[in-house]
Amino acid sequence: MHTAAELRALTHEGARAVVMTMGALHEGHATLVHRARDLAGPHGQVVVTVFVNPLQFGAGEDLDRYPRTLEADLKVAEQAGADVVFAPGVDEVYPGGEPQVRISAGPMGERLEGAARPGHFDGMLTVVAKLLHLTAPDLALYGEKDAQQLALIRRMVRDLNFPVEIVGVPTVREPDGLALSSRNRYLAAGERRTALALSTALFAGRERLAAQQALSARAQAAPASRARADALTALGEARAAADAHAVSQAALRRPSAVRTAARAVLDDAARLRPPLVLDYLALVDPSDFTEVPDGFTGEAVLAVAARVGTTRLIDNLPLTFAPEETPDETPEETPEESPRDTPSPAPAGTDEAPGAAV
C-alpha cells in the first residue's frame, strides 16, 4: 500500500504491530517482523513500513545511494509474517514539503550520534511520529542496534503521550559477529574484515567486565572460616589487606577497564589497511546517553561508531555493572583443629605458609 487512506480502510482484528524500516531488508528486519507476529498473535496485524526519510540525512550523507529494493523487501516481509507493507512516497508523508514543525530530540539527541550527525534525531523523531499517526499501531518494534534511536523514541512516546507500546529487539549478528546493517553491502572484502573490529571491541569490553566481576565474586565467596583467618595471618596481614584493596579498586574502576579493553582493539584496527576511523567509543547510561563514571552500578550501553572507507557503521552492547557486595568480616567458628591440621608459620623469606588454603 502506498497511501494512508488505503491503510486506514484496512480492517483488522486484535492488535496492530508496526515495524518501521528504510527498506533494504535483511535478517535483522526479518527478526523484528517475526517478533511482531508473535506479539500481535494470529488475529492481529503486522505492518512493515518502507520509507527512506530525507529529513534524517545530513549534507554529504548517503541519501541518494541508500539502497532501494522494494520488490525484494516485499518478499522478505511476507516470508517473515507481515500482513501489509506500507511504502509511501515522500509526497504522502510530507504533502506540504519539508515540515516547518518538527520534533526536537532535546539534549539526548545532541550526544554521540547526534553530535556526529547534527539534526539527524530531529528528522528521525519527526518521521517516527508521523508514521505512528499514519499506521496507528498498538505496538511498534525497533532494533536495539540503534540504541540511542530506541531510547529517544521511548522518550518521545512517554513525553508526548503516544498511545503505543515500544518494544526493543536484540541486535542480530552475522556468524563472525558483525551486526547486520543495510550499509554492510557497501563494504568491499577488505573493508568488511576491518569492520569486524567494531564488534570485537565491544566483546573485549564485555569480557573484561566479566573477568573483573568473576574475580570479585570469587573473593566474596571465599569462606570466612577460622582456618582461612589463620592462614591469612600466617601469610601476613599486609598481603591480605593489599589483596582486598586490589579487588575493591578493580570494582571501582570497572567502567574505565571496559573502555580501555575496547579501545585497544579499535587502536589496532586504525593501523589496518584499510583503516578503521573511529567516530566515538562511549560507555553510557541508557536513560540519557551520558558517560557513566567509575564506581557506576546498573545497566549501561557500550557504543561505538566508525568509518571504514566511505561507510559509517554503528554497534553497541548492553552491559550490567553489578554492585559490589560487602563481605561478612566475622570468621565462622569451625570445630577445633588438631595440631597437625593447623597451618605452620611461613619460614622466613618465603611468600606462602605450608598447607595454607587461601
Side-chain angles (χ1 to χ4, degrees):
M1 295 182 174
H2 297 283
T3 69
E6 290 176 299
L7 194 60
R8 283 193 296 270
L10 189 65
T11 60
H12 64 94
E13 298 178 3
R16 174 181 278 180
V18 67
V19 175
M20 296 182 186
T21 82
M22 293 205 301
L25 302 189
H26 50 65
E27 187 57 34
H29 296 110
T31 299
L32 289 168
V33 179
H34 284 303
R35 181 61 177 150
R37 181 80 274 163
D38 291 342
L39 294 174
H43 301 296
Q45 186 181 81
V46 175
V47 177
V48 174
T49 70
V50 174
F51 179 66
V52 181
N53 177 37
L55 295 192
Q56 64 195 72
F57 288 80
E61 292 189 339
D62 56 352
L63 173 61
D64 291 337
R65 72 171 184 141
Y66 195 87
R68 291 161 172 84
T69 57
L70 184 58
E71 290 303 316
D73 295 343
L74 291 172
K75 294 177 182 178
V76 173
E78 182 180 18
Q79 292 171 358
D83 298 298
V84 181
V85 170
F86 178 50
V90 174
D91 291 342
E92 181 70 16
V93 178
Y94 303 118
E98 287 198 8
Q100 296 184 30
V101 177
R102 306 188 186 196
I103 301 291
S104 170
M108 195 196 315
E110 298 172 357
R111 299 173 185 135
L112 300 187
E113 282 299 290
R117 306 175 66 189
H120 166 71
F121 285 126
D122 291 355
M124 179 277 295
L125 289 179
T126 298
V127 79
V128 167
K130 289 181 73 72
L131 289 172
L132 287 175
H133 288 314
L134 293 172
T135 60
D138 302 287
L139 307 162
L141 293 85
Y142 301 90
E144 292 178 356
K145 185 177 80 73
D146 295 297
Q148 193 172 3
Q149 169 180 283
L150 176 58
L152 282 163
I153 291 171
R154 283 180 165 146
R155 186 63 186 248
M156 178 186 73
V157 164
R158 183 172 71 247
D159 287 355
L160 301 183
N161 300 102
F162 279 74
V164 61
E165 178 185 350
I166 303 300
V167 179
V169 178
T171 301
V172 179
R173 298 184 179 278
E174 299 278 7
D176 58 9
L178 185 69
L180 288 178
S181 169
S182 299
R183 289 185 169 92
N184 288 353
R185 67 185 67 196
Y186 298 157
L187 298 169
E191 292 173 337
R192 195 184 185 288
R193 287 192 292 272
T194 296
L196 287 175
L198 274 75
S199 56
T200 302
L202 299 178
F203 298 153
R206 181 177 65 185
E207 289 167 5
R208 177 65 60 85
L209 176 61
Q212 288 193 323
Q213 294 188 153
L215 173 64
S216 179
R218 287 197 299 270
Q220 299 296 340
S225 64
R226 178 64 63 188
R228 175 172 169 77
D230 291 343
L232 286 172
T233 300
L235 290 174
E237 297 295 344
R239 174 173 168 178
D243 288 347
H245 178 72
V247 170
S248 66
Q249 289 302 302
L252 288 175
R253 293 194 296 267
R254 283 174 188 162
S256 290
V258 167
R259 292 185 184 97
T260 298
R263 184 169 288 277
V265 175
L266 299 170
D267 288 345
D268 287 343
R271 294 187 285 271
L272 296 176
R273 291 292 178 268
L276 181 140
V277 180
L278 184 65
D279 273 3
Y280 62 76
L281 172 71
L283 182 60
V284 297
D285 185 329
S287 67
D288 58 9
F289 273 70
T290 57
E291 290 278 356
V292 302
D294 280 342
F296 174 85
T297 60
E299 302 299 316
V301 172
L302 182 61
V304 63
R307 294 182 183 276
V308 182
T310 60
T311 304
R312 187 174 184 277
L313 300 170
I314 63 172
D315 201 353
N316 74 83
L317 273 183
L319 299 176
T320 300
F321 289 80
E324 185 76 4
E325 295 182 6
T326 303
D328 182 358
E329 297 180 356
T330 303
E332 297 174 358
E333 293 295 336
T334 58
E336 180 116 8
E337 297 166 319
S338 65
R340 68 169 179 245
D341 294 328
T342 302
S344 302
T350 65
D351 290 331
E352 294 186 353
V358 181

